[in-house]
Amino acid sequence: MSSLTDRVILITGAGRGQGLAHAEAAAASGAIVQMTDVDGERGEKEANRLRTAGLDATFHHLDVSDAQEWTTVVTDVIDRHGRIDGLVNNAGISLGGTVLDTTPEIWNAVIGVNQVGVWLGMATVAPHMVDARSGAIVNIASTLGKFASEVSFAYQATKGAVRMMSKSAALALGRHGIRVNTILPGLVDTDFIAKQKAAGAIDQSVGRIPIGRIGEPAEISEAVLFLLSDGASYISGAELVVDGGLIAGSTGSLKSKVDPK
Ligand SMILES: NC(=O)c1ccc[n+]([C@@H]2O[C@H](COP(=O)([O-])OP(=O)(O)OC[C@H]3O[C@@H](n4cnc5c(N)ncnc54)[C@H](O)[C@@H]3O)[C@@H](O)[C@H]2O)c1
């Protein structure tokens, strides 16, 4: 895989979980990593840990749903480094509820982070990539943006939206030398699924994953790094599913193992 040596990469939600794994992997690959998160204490602590390990990582407080904060952070990075080569829109939240019990508060909160946040990220960073005539954007959706479940109605709305936002952006930005791609993780072992884990729901789902286990954050990082790198120079508007095979077949009612022939 191509390295990310000296590439300036901005990652949202990098204080823990997958975003932190992406930050660590990108920095280990030579990138100048700009870690951002709404959780400032945790983000600072993790960026310090990476710097102590000899990696190039800087933390910025950023609530992705706040346009003003995006402008402040991006201006700061441009002032310091003159460019942003890669953007990973990773921050996300999930608040449950079916179509019947999703409140306006839940809806607005989830849309604000997962959908508005991705839009603001692309809208704030892409003009600088246009000036540089190069850049790579990776947006994190979910297998739940492609196949539905009854619960997490608002979450699925945002993840479906991220897929189409990425494709539309890929069409608009390609001529400026910018690639935009989407990753659809399946179940990944982070705090994000802690509640389901505690309720035993993950153990039930594992039986439906062909590889037979949930994923590790670092396994998603491999895909993120590839799409950021020159190794993916002819890939744009694409969706990369990283789910251990979960959605390769039917996720719904066709559970029979009897061969219909
Ligand atoms: N874990 C999974 O099984 C799974 C599966 C599919 C997709 N995803 C997606 O992967 C991404 C990363 O999730 P994760 O598993 O690392 O979850 P996580 O909960 O461990 O981490 C999410 C991070 O986002 C940050 N964040 C939350 N709101 C924010 C905001 N307003 N502004 C900036 N940062 C904010 C949190 O502080 C946290 O550091 C999310 O977009 C999520 O929807 C996760």
Side-chain angles (χ1 to χ4, degrees), residues 115-174:
Q115 187 172 347
V116 174
V118 171
W119 164 52
L120 290 176
M122 292 197 288
T124 317
V125 172
H128 298 283
M129 292 177 164
V130 169
D131 288 347
R133 293 210 55 77
S134 103
I137 298 174
V138 178
N139 294 325
I140 306 298
S142 167
T143 49
L144 282 175
K146 199 168 163 102
F147 289 98
S149 86
E150 262 181 58
V151 291
S152 47
F153 175 72
Y155 180 76
Q156 293 177 79
T158 62
K159 294 303 186 179
V162 166
R163 293 176 53 214
M164 289 314 295
M165 287 158 63
S166 303
K167 286 177 189 286
S168 178
L171 293 179
L173 298 175

Side-chain angles (χ1 to χ4, degrees), residues 185-233:
L187 279 170
V188 186
D189 198 3
T190 67
D191 289 354
F192 197 82
I193 57 165
K195 227 164 95 186
Q196 293 117 289
K197 223 173 166 180
I202 299 299
D203 294 340
Q204 285 170 23
S205 304
V206 165
R208 290 174 30 228
I209 302 172
I211 283 185
R213 61 175 175 81
I214 62 174
E216 292 301 325
E219 293 178 292
I220 312 302
S221 304
E222 293 286 343
V224 171
L225 259 59
F226 169 62
L227 290 174
L228 287 174
S229 78
D230 292 346
S233 55

